[in-house]
Amino acid sequence: MALRNIILSDNEIIRKKSKAVSQFDAPLWQLLDDMYDTMVQNNGCGIAAVQVGVLKRVVIVEANGLKLELINPEIIAKKGKQVGMEGCLSVKNTNGKVERPYEITVKAFDRYGNAMTLTVCDFTAVAVCHELDHLDGILFIDKIVE
Ligand code: CO
């Protein structure tokens, strides 16, 4: 188990756009394992690589008993709307309501480079949208509706 430091929102790295992963190799698996340990240690339900200072399009979400590792993820379909409370490991002591799609279909790769397409809804969709925003330097505080 290896913990990495969480990058906070006052660090300019958090606003940078992450780059696509091209190598599905041991350093990527180490990054994923470290991100997961760091997320769990900090009681998070999602984490993006940029949050540990790595500008790669890699996210982990764990919600409703489902652990997702998404590499180079892309939302290819959205349905409905929901507004829910969000927080972020990189934004201390702040929560706010954000509008997200109710259901999304995501195309991504797993840690071995296998392509997958999955549809998630409800809180899992919120968590995936939140983490995908991180890959483009967007924080939930940019989208708070109340
Ligand atoms: Co976040």
Side-chain angles (χ1 to χ4, degrees):
M1 159 154 168
L3 298 177
R4 301 202 188 189
N5 290 326
I6 300 272
I7 299 283
L8 297 178
S9 54
D10 59 355
N11 186 320
E12 62 180 20
I13 289 177
I14 211 78
R15 292 298 186 175
K16 297 213 152 102
K17 213 173 148 79
S18 295
K19 293 195 170 69
V21 169
S22 53
Q23 308 269 82
F24 295 82
D25 54 5
L28 174 68
W29 306 335
Q30 185 69 58
L31 171 66
L32 282 160
D33 293 344
D34 291 356
M35 283 169 60
Y36 183 72
D37 290 341
T38 305
M39 179 188 90
V40 169
Q41 181 73 24
N42 289 280
N43 302 310
C45 53
I47 190 167
V50 61
Q51 292 183 278
V52 295
V54 177
L55 287 166
K56 289 191 172 155
R57 302 188 81 81
V58 174
V59 308
I60 296 176
V61 165
E62 190 168 54
N64 295 324
L66 185 69
K67 179 185 173 187
L68 300 171
E69 292 180 342
L70 305 173
I71 322 294
N72 300 341
E74 260 178 81
I75 295 173
I76 55 171
K78 298 177 188 183
K79 237 192 248 177
K81 275 179 188 157
Q82 58 180 323
V83 175
M85 201 60 102
E86 294 186 26
C88 179
L89 296 178
S90 296
V91 184
K92 292 282 178 215
N93 308 314
T94 305
N95 293 97
K97 285 187 178 176
V98 178
E99 186 180 293
R100 302 287 189 185
Y102 177 72
E103 183 187 281
I104 54 170
T105 299
V106 180
K107 215 173 72 174
F109 294 90
D110 70 11
R111 62 163 62 202
Y112 305 107
N114 300 307
M116 59 171 143
T117 302
L118 66 157
T119 299
V120 292
C121 65
D122 205 16
F123 181 71
T124 310
V126 171
V128 170
C129 288
H130 176 117
E131 298 314 326
L132 265 61
D133 273 352
H134 275 298
L135 303 181
D136 294 317
I138 300 164
L139 296 174
F140 83 97
I141 46 175
D142 305 341
K143 296 186 163 179
I144 287 177
V145 293
E146 62 183 87

